[in-house]
Amino acid sequence: MTEVAAVTVVIPAFNPGARLARAVASVRAQTFTDWRIVVVDDGSDEDISTYLPDDARIDLIRQENQGVSAARNAGVARSASRWIAFLDADDEWMPEKLERQLGIVTPGVSAVHASFDWVLPESRFHSVRPPLLDLAALLAGETVCLSSVLVERRTLIDLGGFDEGLTHAEDLDLYFKLAAIAPLAAPEGILARYYTHEGGASTRYWTAYRRRLTVLRRAVERSGGDPAVVAAGRTGEDVARRLVAQQALENARADWSRRNPEAFVHLARMFRVTPVTATRTVAHWLLRMDPP
């Protein structure tokens, strides 16, 4: 019988290309070595096995395309480890990631996260160093990267895993549920890199915004009216509105420069979430006779 590893790393993949090789290599470079990897091919058109090394610690399972939540849940179901670590196929870890996280685990801790570098297009970096995160902090807008999260398998299963009905914000939904049990701590140092790519899921800003509001409001409702949680939820909604307004403006500018009429769709979204700011912006353009 194969010995059960302490940590199973779940990597969902849908046409990941060579980025998958980088993600897997970052796991194989870990200073903590008692791990297994489960790569879940979520209906890729390409043969992703070509990006995987010959390593007995790596399992590849395939399923018809069902979405990233179902892929992650399938990976968890294949595991018997005490701990589950998630890594998206286009992200990577620093070598001491698992060692440092396991080093701060104490009785009663069921999940930890880590600071990370947010790598934007054109290789621009933005370091995110969130503190100890409780539910209120997460609701108010603190950022977590799923590729930095290490969670106890039993807790994950008890919470129902990832909501397969969500096409966006499924990770945020999990963070809220975990933080409602206990705050998420993080060891010192940047331990992961999260890559944002043009055309990726994180660029579909309007759907992501609406799903974010959905899971945020669910978390507030589950709190039973805790005043601190309700206040944090309101702050989080304000943060989400400001962010999506900025994203709408950026997309409007880009489409206008291409003479794409979609620019007006983005402007309409901006008016919907921040009407005063949107009115001032358009008035400024008109007064300057300066198009978006």
Side-chain angles (χ1 to χ4, degrees), residues 71-210:
R72 290 179 182 133
N73 287 341
V76 173
R78 178 64 67 95
S79 166
S81 300
R82 177 185 174 188
W83 294 97
I84 302 292
F86 294 103
L87 177 60
D88 283 353
D90 52 355
D91 295 339
E92 63 180 323
W93 290 345
M94 303 300 103
E96 295 182 350
K97 191 263 189 188
L98 290 178
E99 181 180 359
R100 289 194 188 179
Q101 286 187 305
L102 290 166
I104 66 167
V105 168
T106 57
V109 171
S110 58
V112 295
H113 69 107
S115 297
F116 61 97
D117 279 333
W118 193 336
V119 187
L120 305 171
E122 301 178 359
S123 298
R124 291 177 293 123
F125 277 72
H126 173 61
S127 294
V128 181
R129 301 174 183 267
L132 180 73
L133 295 177
D134 59 12
L135 178 58
L138 283 166
L139 287 169
E142 287 285 359
T143 303
V144 178
C145 168
L146 186 59
S147 289
S148 80
V149 171
L150 178 73
V151 58
E152 201 166 30
R153 180 177 178 273
R154 182 72 262 163
T155 298
L156 190 61
I157 291 173
D158 289 346
L159 290 174
F162 291 90
D163 185 341
E164 297 183 14
L166 292 172
T167 56
H168 294 75
E170 73 290 335
D171 52 349
L172 193 62
D173 184 57
L174 178 64
Y175 307 151
F176 291 156
K177 292 175 181 176
L178 289 170
I181 299 172
L184 280 67
E188 293 293 325
I190 299 290
L191 297 178
R193 284 181 180 160
Y194 165 62
Y195 291 84
T196 299
H197 308 283
E198 293 294 344
S202 57
T203 66
R204 295 191 284 273
Y205 72 95
W206 188 249
T207 300
Y209 163 70
R210 294 195 299 172

